[in-house]
Amino acid sequence: DQAVTQLQQQQIADDKRAPVYSTMSFFTITIIAIALPLWGMVVDHVGINISLIYLGLLTSIITFLGFIFYRKSLRKINKDISI
């Protein structure tokens, strides 16, 4: 988290930093507000053990997709640098 904050401070202009952080906070809170009741419904319907398996699978899928997009962006950056 500290490394991400440092990168954001380097990349975002001073006059735009507060609105960016505010928007990020808004989206984070909104996602949490939507996800927690859904998580509760899943736990109520299938039990905690199966819910944790679902959560682990979802996390694995999101992580895998994140790595794919990250690799594609690195390739693009390396391609742009070499030209």
Side-chain angles (χ1 to χ4, degrees):
D1 187 41
Q2 199 172 17
V4 173
T5 303
Q6 184 177 3
L7 285 173
Q8 288 173 340
Q9 288 176 351
Q10 292 172 351
Q11 299 294 324
I12 301 171
D14 291 338
D15 60 336
K16 300 207 179 355
R17 194 171 298 142
V20 168
Y21 284 144
S22 177
T23 304
M24 288 172 45
S25 176
F26 170 76
F27 283 121
T28 301
I29 291 170
T30 303
I31 290 169
I32 290 171
I34 292 169
L36 286 179
L38 291 175
W39 174 254
M41 289 188 327
V42 170
V43 169
D44 288 343
H45 286 286
V46 297
I48 189 70
N49 292 333
I50 301 297
S51 298
L52 291 174
I53 292 171
Y54 288 162
L55 182 62
L57 289 173
L58 180 65
T59 303
S60 298
I61 291 168
I62 290 172
T63 302
F64 179 73
L65 292 174
F67 282 135
I68 289 173
F69 290 126
Y70 180 70
R71 285 183 57 195
K72 285 183 180 181
S73 67
L74 281 180
R75 286 184 192 152
K76 183 179 179 202
I77 290 169
N78 289 336
K79 191 179 208 183
D80 292 342
I81 290 172
S82 65
I83 291 177

